[in-house]
Amino acid sequence: MRLKSESFKRDVAGLVRQIEEGIAEAAGAERVVKAERERAEKAARAAEDAWKNDKLLAEQQASIGPNLSPEELRKAEELANWEFVKDKQDRALLRDHLARFQGGASEPWAREVLEALEWAALDDASSSEAIKEFLDEHPKGAYRDAASQRYQRRLAEEVAAAAAAQREAKAGIAWRAVKDSEDPAPLRDFAQSYPDSAHAAEATLLTNALVTRRLLVVGGLVVTALGGFAYAANKREVDAWLLDSSIRTLEGHSDSVTSVAITPDGRRALSGSYDKSLKLWDLGV
């Protein structure tokens, strides 16, 4: 690439970009070659194992002589194949062995090894369906009790998760119907009906906001809102409000109330007034 003095920086930047692209392309080609090499090596190992198995069977049959009965030849072939597969930790080989030599002398050993390998492949994240398949294949196996317990637990988890998803879907439909409401009542009902919903907290906030706005429209001085109740003061009394209805008036100040504070448990209120007094109220909630 030619570098010119009048465009040196631009030319160098282009050169760097071409080098980086070349490196990336080479790295990608290397990954492809590596993957192909690994596949070839795996295929070669599989072919070698098959060849060794065939060789072992041939040697076994040659060593036992030609005068054996078909049943004796089958037993010899089974034992030779078992010697080949027993330490492979390969479930496919074990299944093939069991399919070829059903009812053979090695069947209990092969099933025991296969069961252990399949149990090790399961974990707490396995589906109940996968665990049920394991139980169906090994109904009398060594891991039957542990698998049954895990199956019941996982099934209960899946049922609970499905029920929760169904409830949340139902809550989503209900939320879309009330989220734009100008009336606090539907929002309050939603929060009470779906307390575990992802929208419950937002519904409570919107309810309180609508309560506050309605109190302002009435003309009261809103000072606090707590647990669905709001407290307002605009004269010499403190009014407790639920939604837009006055449910209680706390009388005692001789001048206008300026502020109200509510205890965290909502049981008491402290009010301040221009009469230079503080009054502690028992809200009876």
Side-chain angles (χ1 to χ4, degrees):
M1 182 176 181
R2 184 178 180 183
L3 303 179
K4 302 177 181 179
S5 59
E6 61 273 15
S7 59
F8 180 77
K9 290 185 179 180
R10 185 174 63 254
D11 292 345
V12 169
L15 176 61
V16 170
R17 184 170 58 253
Q18 290 187 21
I19 293 174
E20 290 175 343
E21 291 174 353
I23 292 174
E25 183 178 352
E30 183 179 355
R31 285 194 295 271
V32 172
V33 171
K34 183 179 179 181
E36 292 294 336
R37 182 168 60 250
E38 290 176 350
R39 282 196 290 270
E41 290 174 351
K42 184 176 181 179
R45 286 195 298 270
E48 183 180 1
D49 287 342
W51 177 79
K52 288 181 179 178
N53 188 32
D54 293 341
K55 181 181 179 183
L56 181 62
L57 291 175
E59 291 174 350
Q60 185 73 20
Q61 291 177 356
S63 65
I64 60 179
N67 298 322
L68 295 179
S69 66
E71 183 63 25
E72 290 172 328
L73 284 173
R74 179 174 173 79
K75 288 182 179 179
E77 182 183 1
E78 176 190 354
L79 293 176
N81 194 70
W82 173 244
E83 286 297 320
F84 174 74
V85 304
K86 67 179 183 179
D87 297 324
K88 294 294 185 181
Q89 303 292 301
D90 189 317
R91 287 181 285 171
L93 288 177
L94 287 165
R95 290 184 184 280
D96 178 72
H97 178 85
L98 287 168
R100 290 172 58 189
F101 304 104
Q102 294 182 18
S106 64
E107 182 174 354
W109 307 331
R111 291 198 179 280
E112 181 179 344
V113 175
L114 178 61
E115 181 191 12
L117 290 175
E118 292 191 331
W119 177 249
L122 295 173
D123 54 29
D124 290 336
S126 299
S127 67
S128 61
E129 183 179 356
I131 302 172
K132 183 66 166 55
E133 290 177 357
F134 174 86
L135 284 167
D136 291 342
E137 186 173 1
H138 308 283
K140 298 181 180 180
Y143 300 96
R144 178 188 58 188
D145 293 342
S148 296
Q149 293 174 5
R150 182 178 291 181
Y151 171 74
Q152 294 297 333
R153 183 175 66 251
R154 192 71 185 97
L155 183 62
E157 293 172 350
E158 290 174 352
V159 170
Q166 187 175 12
R167 286 195 303 272
E168 188 59 32
K170 186 177 179 180
I173 295 173
W175 173 245
R176 287 192 291 273
V178 303
K179 66 185 181 70
D180 297 323
S181 175
E182 293 296 320
D183 184 353
L187 292 163
R188 180 193 59 188
D189 292 342
F190 175 87
Q192 293 174 347
S193 301
Y194 303 99
D196 298 327
S197 168
H199 305 291
E202 186 177 356
T204 300
L205 290 175
L206 289 176
T207 300
N208 289 337
L210 288 172
V211 169
T212 299
R213 189 170 68 185
R214 290 197 172 197
L215 288 170
L216 288 172
V217 170
V218 171
L221 169 65
V222 177
V223 291
T224 186
L226 181 68
F229 289 87
Y231 297 87
N234 61 347
K235 298 181 292 184
R236 298 181 181 181
E237 301 87 14
V238 178
D239 292 330
W241 298 74
L242 176 61
L243 300 182
D244 60 342
S245 301
S246 178
I247 61 172
R248 187 178 179 189
T249 297
L250 308 174
E251 298 179 349
H253 285 289
S254 60
D255 205 341
S256 297
V257 176
T258 59
S259 60
V260 180
I262 310 300
T263 57
D265 60 7
R267 295 181 180 275
R268 290 179 175 81
L270 184 67
S271 59
S273 168
Y274 281 127
D275 65 9
K276 300 181 180 180
S277 69
L278 297 175
K279 293 192 178 296
L280 185 62
W281 307 94
D282 184 356
L283 300 177
V285 295

